């Protein structure tokens, strides 16, 4: 048979679930008055205050519960709940450092998956805050210029840390990514260079150097993909000599491949993959294969004609 204190707790739980918060707090206070040694009464009362947005009262209630719990050698899971609830209240108050402190204490008591997940979210916010506080465009420019000096001297490995620091100081500046990509390319770290090229393009799609450096990496063994990137560079500046020469180089490479090699190479190109996965283009290509006269009608559509031409140039589609 439940004690009067536990009966009061159950009434509080029912009121809490029904969102009758004032009634729930009164019931938990009654339970505490009847038995001030049960940590769960304080934790539950703290949960009600949390729902009401009364974060200082959450901290007060759960702190008292902790004192009681320690004295009564309460179950470590209940102690962890008190600590994590205090941490959650500090989080809502914008007090990230205090929130992290209490979450760390909570997982020392019990590595509950929910508490671990909440702590990870706080850690992410702390990291974002620190990164934001670290941003300084002027210092970013200083670090970038230092990197440029090393790059001019051919000291590519020495330049990288300065470009990395420039990125940390101003993550939205595309230029340090481009410059670091150039260093990685010189050091034959092609994977890292490609990552930086892609980030550079993401930050500034109109920055032609990002495309030129990416295409230079691709043209070594992926001329079809490189050609597509050079095409994008030429859309930005049709008169760019490096883009023109690179495009022509890729075209010459592709002409020297066998039809089978060209088609195999082309299948690695994301743009070609996208065209082939387009349901509308699949229907059009099937119709053109069955009825060659249908090609004339479909090619009147400029978008279809452009996609079809890319497939022809890549060797995926042949014209007889």
């Amino acid at each position: 048979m439940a004690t009067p204190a536990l009966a009061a707790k159950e009434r509080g739980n029912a009121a809490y679930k029904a969102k009758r918060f004032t009634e729930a707090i009164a019931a938990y206070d009654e339970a505490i008055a009847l038995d001030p040694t049960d940590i769960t009464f304080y934790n539950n009362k703290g949960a009600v205050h949390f729902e009401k947005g009364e974060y200082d009262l959450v901290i007060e209630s759960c702190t008292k519960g902790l004192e009681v719990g320690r004295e009564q050698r309460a179950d470590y899971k209940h102690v962890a709940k008190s600590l994590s609830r205090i941490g959650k209240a500090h989080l809502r108050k914008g007090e990230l450092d205090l929130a992290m402190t209490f979450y760390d204490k909570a997982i020392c008591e019990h590595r509950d998956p929910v508490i671990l997940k909440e702590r990870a979210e706080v850690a992410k916010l702390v990291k974002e805050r620190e990164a934001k506080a670290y941003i300084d465009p002027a210092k970013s420019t200083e670090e970038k210029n230092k990197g440029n000096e090393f790059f001019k001297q051919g000291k590519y490995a020495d330049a990288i840390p300065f470009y990395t620091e420039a990125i940390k100081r101003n993550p939205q500046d595309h230029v340090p990514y481009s410059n670091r990509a150039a260093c990685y390319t010189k050091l034959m770290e092609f994977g890292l260079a490609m990552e930086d090229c892609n980030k550079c393009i993401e930050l500034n799609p109109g920055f032609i150097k990002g495309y030129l450096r990416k295409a230079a990496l691709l043209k070594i063994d992926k001329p079809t993909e490189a050609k597509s990137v050079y095409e994008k560079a030429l859309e930005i500046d049709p008169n760019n000599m490096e883009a023109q020469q690179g495009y022509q180089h890729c075209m010459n490479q592709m002409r020297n491949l066998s039809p089978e090699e060209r088609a195999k190479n082309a299948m690695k190109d994301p743009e070609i993959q996208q065209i082939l996965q387009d349901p509308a283009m699949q229907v059009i290509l099937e119709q053109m294969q069955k009825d060659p006269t249908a090609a004339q009608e479909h090619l009147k559509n400029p978008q279809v004609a452009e996609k079809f031409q890319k497939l022809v140039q890549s060797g995926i589609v042949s014209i007889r």
Side-chain angles (χ1 to χ4, degrees):
M1 184 175 178
T3 65
L6 289 175
K9 175 188 173 184
E10 289 304 317
R11 291 200 307 274
N13 291 349
Y16 173 76
K17 290 175 183 176
K19 297 188 182 299
R20 300 194 302 270
F21 298 134
T22 302
E23 181 182 335
I25 288 174
Y28 291 134
D29 280 338
E30 181 184 341
I32 290 168
L34 291 166
D35 179 5
T37 66
D38 191 326
I39 187 175
T40 65
F41 300 164
Y42 300 93
N43 281 347
N44 289 10
K45 183 181 175 182
V48 180
H49 285 307
F50 188 87
E51 290 297 323
K52 294 181 71 178
E54 298 168 342
Y55 304 122
D56 286 330
L57 293 178
V58 175
I59 295 168
E60 180 184 318
S61 181
C62 292
T63 299
K64 181 60 179 176
L66 269 177
E67 294 173 6
V68 169
R70 298 294 190 195
E71 290 172 0
Q72 301 298 319
R73 298 184 182 278
D75 187 318
Y76 60 88
K77 293 181 181 178
H78 295 316
V79 173
K81 185 170 286 187
S82 297
L83 289 163
S84 67
R85 200 154 278 165
I86 294 171
K88 199 170 185 178
H90 281 300
L91 173 61
R92 287 297 180 91
K93 292 180 69 178
E95 298 166 348
L96 294 181
D97 293 330
L98 281 170
M100 181 62 78
T101 296
F102 280 95
Y103 273 115
D104 284 342
K105 290 180 179 179
I107 62 174
C108 286
E109 296 288 340
H110 176 47
R111 295 182 66 81
D112 180 89
V114 173
I115 296 176
L116 288 169
K117 182 179 179 183
E118 290 176 356
R119 185 202 176 279
E121 290 170 357
V122 175
K124 181 181 178 183
L125 291 173
V126 170
K127 188 175 181 180
E128 288 174 355
R129 182 194 64 184
E130 290 172 350
K132 188 175 181 180
Y134 199 67
I135 291 174
D136 186 330
K139 288 185 179 178
S140 175
T141 300
E142 288 178 17
E143 297 299 316
K144 180 178 64 178
N145 290 339
K146 290 176 185 176
N148 291 345
E149 288 304 314
F150 280 108
F151 186 89
K152 290 173 186 175
Q153 297 171 38
K155 298 178 179 179
Y156 308 118
D158 292 330
I160 287 174
F162 293 101
Y163 292 136
T164 300
E165 181 65 15
I167 289 167
K168 289 179 181 178
R169 289 290 187 178
N170 189 3
Q172 296 305 308
D173 185 1
H174 60 283
V175 176
Y177 283 102
S178 175
N179 293 3
R180 193 171 68 174
C183 291
Y184 283 137
T185 301
K186 293 289 187 181
L187 296 170
M188 301 184 72
E189 293 284 357
F190 301 129
L192 294 173
M194 184 61 72
E195 287 179 14
D196 276 357
C197 287
N198 287 334
K199 187 63 179 180
C200 173
I201 292 168
E202 177 190 327
L203 291 172
N204 188 350
F207 185 63
I208 195 169
K209 273 190 179 180
Y211 296 97
L212 294 176
R213 287 186 169 142
K214 180 176 180 176
L217 291 167
L218 291 169
K219 75 177 181 180
I220 300 169
D221 59 353
K222 297 178 181 177
T224 306
E225 290 184 52
K227 180 181 74 67
S228 297
V229 178
Y230 278 125
E231 286 173 347
K232 290 176 182 176
L234 289 168
E235 289 174 9
I236 297 170
D237 181 6
N239 298 316
N240 184 277
M241 187 63 69
E242 184 178 345
Q244 290 176 349
Q245 292 176 348
Y247 177 84
Q248 193 58 50
H249 173 83
C250 292
M251 290 299 293
N252 292 337
Q253 274 188 299
M254 290 167 62
R255 289 191 192 100
N256 294 331
L257 296 174
S258 68
E260 292 77 13
E261 289 174 322
R262 284 177 62 196
K264 184 178 179 181
N265 207 347
M267 288 301 295
K268 300 175 184 177
D269 186 340
E271 188 174 7
I272 297 296
Q273 292 173 5
Q274 188 175 10
I275 293 172
L276 294 174
Q277 290 169 4
D278 182 350
M281 279 300 296
Q282 290 175 0
V283 172
I284 290 170
L285 291 171
E286 186 177 349
Q287 289 178 351
M288 292 170 72
Q289 188 175 18
K290 292 179 179 178
D291 180 12
T293 59
Q296 297 178 2
E297 191 63 32
H298 285 305
L299 293 176
K300 290 179 182 178
N301 183 321
Q303 292 181 336
V304 172
E306 182 183 357
K307 291 178 180 178
F308 184 75
Q309 186 61 30
K310 287 183 183 296
L311 295 178
V312 172
Q313 290 177 349
S314 66
I316 296 292
V317 173
S318 58
I319 300 176
R320 294 184 176 83

